[in-house]
Every structure is written in structure tokens, then in C-alpha cells.
Amino acid sequence: MPKLILSMDGLVLKEIVLTKERTLIGRKPVNDIQIDNLSISGQHAVITHILGDAFLEDLNSTNGTYVNGQPIKKYALQNNDVIELGKYRIKYLVDAFSPGVAATELVDTAALKPFEIGTVNPAEPLTPAGGTTTMRTHEMLQPGTDANFGSTVSVGHLLKHLGVIRVLNGVNAGQELELSKPVTTLGKPGYQVAIITRREQGYFITHAEGKVFPSVNGEEIGMQAHRLNENDTIEIAGVKMGFFLRS
């Protein structure tokens, strides 16, 4: 079920699961979410939740209702939208694994804590952008050779192109995430998480959390780092994504 996270000045005050069709927000006790502050109108706004979609409507409040910094009257809420009521913030989150809802939290890497390399796989060091890497002796590469598959790859080609993930299914199909950082975290904490690392040899995906391994082209990758090739199809926590290189 979708949920709301109420906070003020960065401090989380309450978490509300949207189980009702209409959720009233305001200063008076009759509201489902009461915010006892004079900047909030008696009945300030309402969220209508129908068939997995949520709509926010300002109820002619004195100080207005904002979403992501913009004033609204009626607005169709999207995952990670931030509703602003005076000094209060309400973040709208969609449970990626509710029936009928696509698990599109995968591209929201900012919400996840960065992984320490030692907690994922100490033997798989990362390559900072523009830096160097030290690999295990049995994985040392000859120029143009991939340690995982023994196939010939063009290191120069990989370095000149930026990896991109494109969501292939669900309501966010078509959204893209550029893999410009040394480490990109994908998945849902507590369920299934993977990391994609950017190295001199290309992009590698590694399982990090969960009983089920991520799959590439329909096959689970196991515990070892798996090098990604252009047009590979990745599946993590029910979300299918395409990997490609952008010049």
C-alpha cells in the first residue's frame, strides 16, 4: 500500500499507510492526519486513493499546498513526491511490491545508503572514476580480456561510453538512469538489492542482499560479479531493465 511520511525540519513525525479512499489533512481533530499548527488550515487538503492511484487536492487552504516546491490545486501524486504544508513535509511513497504496482523504486538510488565494499564482496574492489583498480591475482586481466568470460572486449570502447539503465516494465517504463557513479545501488532494502560498479573493464553487477539473485538475460548471476554487455536485460525485484552504452 502507498504510504505517507510526515516530517518537519528533517525529523520524521509519523508514517501513515493509505488504507482509506479519502485521507483528510488539516489542523482540526476530525482530520485523518492532524497537524496542530496555525499555518495549517482546519481542513487543508485531501488525498484520494483509487485503484492504486493517488490524487492530492488543496481544499482552499489559507497558505496553499505545494508539491515539490510548486503550488497545486489538484495533482496526481507520483512516487517520491514531497507535499509541503507550511514547515511540514509529507513524502508520498509507493510500495513497489503491492499488486498492480510496478517495483520502480529501483532507480531511486539516493534513498539507499551507499554500500561499503567490504560488506558486499571484499574481493571485488571498485574503480573510482578516472582511478585504478587492484584485482585478485587469478583475475588479473590481459589487455582486452574479460576475466569472467575470457572473451575479447575493447577497454577503450567501454571507457568512452556511459552505461545507462532503462526501465522496461511498469508505470515508469522508459525512465533512464545514467551509471555515472563508481557504484550504483538498485533494489529494495530487505527484499533484493544489487550494485552495479563502473570499472576499467566495463560495468559489473553484483548481488548484495536478498535470497533471490538478480538475473541477466533470464539467468541468475549467482554470487560472483557479472560483466554487463550492451542490450542485456536485467531483472531485480520484479523490475526488468535494459543496459546499454551511450556515447
Side-chain angles (χ1 to χ4, degrees):
M1 297 292 290
K3 63 182 178 181
L4 306 173
I5 308 295
L6 174 65
S7 65
M8 184 181 72
D9 296 331
L11 177 65
V12 175
L13 304 176
K14 185 183 295 186
E15 180 176 311
I16 306 100
V17 178
L18 289 180
T19 57
K20 300 175 62 176
E21 183 175 314
R22 282 172 57 87
T23 301
L24 283 167
I25 306 169
R27 190 179 71 254
K28 295 180 179 180
V30 296
N31 291 280
D32 301 293
I33 302 175
Q34 183 188 11
I35 303 176
D36 190 10
N37 188 284
L38 292 177
S39 66
I40 309 299
S41 295
Q43 287 191 332
H44 197 107
V46 62
I47 295 175
T48 304
H49 180 230
I50 302 175
L51 298 176
D53 293 321
F55 303 91
L56 172 68
E57 181 179 357
D58 180 79
L59 298 177
N60 296 316
S61 64
T62 301
N63 294 316
T65 300
Y66 294 75
V67 176
N68 304 327
Q70 300 299 317
I72 64 96
K73 286 298 181 182
K74 292 184 179 180
Y75 179 86
L77 288 168
Q78 303 294 320
N79 188 42
N80 284 320
D81 277 344
V82 177
I83 304 166
E84 302 170 41
L85 310 172
K87 294 182 178 180
Y88 292 83
R89 302 290 182 269
I90 301 176
K91 189 167 187 177
Y92 174 74
L93 295 173
V94 176
D95 183 349
F97 298 95
S98 294
V101 178
T104 50
E105 285 290 313
L106 293 166
V107 296
D108 187 20
T109 57
L112 307 180
K113 294 181 179 179
F115 280 90
E116 295 293 339
I117 186 60
T119 64
V120 179
N121 189 341
E124 295 291 346
L126 307 181
T127 305
T132 58
T133 187
T134 303
M135 305 185 73
R136 289 178 292 181
T137 303
H138 70 277
E139 288 187 348
M140 290 299 289
L141 302 181
Q142 298 297 324
T145 302
D146 174 22
N148 283 359
F149 306 102
S151 58
T152 300
V153 296
S154 172
V155 176
H157 172 77
L158 290 169
L159 292 177
K160 293 177 182 177
H161 292 75
L162 178 67
V164 177
I165 290 291
R166 178 183 294 146
V167 180
L168 301 178
N169 64 339
V171 295
N172 285 338
Q175 287 193 2
E176 296 181 356
L177 174 67
E178 292 187 345
L179 303 173
S180 57
K181 299 178 182 179
V183 181
T184 301
T185 306
L186 304 176
K188 182 178 181 182
Y191 181 83
Q192 188 180 28
V193 176
I195 62 172
I196 294 180
T197 59
R198 185 183 185 186
R199 308 182 185 183
E200 289 183 349
Q201 295 78 29
Y203 288 88
F204 291 76
I205 183 170
T206 306
H207 174 70
E209 181 183 345
K211 295 181 180 180
V212 180
F213 294 106
S215 66
V216 176
N217 300 328
E219 296 186 3
E220 292 187 356
I221 64 171
M223 290 300 297
Q224 298 299 316
H226 180 97
R227 187 175 67 83
L228 291 171
N229 296 303
E230 189 160 21
N231 297 320
D232 276 349
T233 299
I234 305 165
E235 184 168 347
I236 304 174
V239 172
K240 290 185 178 180
M241 298 165 284
F243 171 80
F244 64 95
L245 298 171
R246 176 178 292 159
S247 53

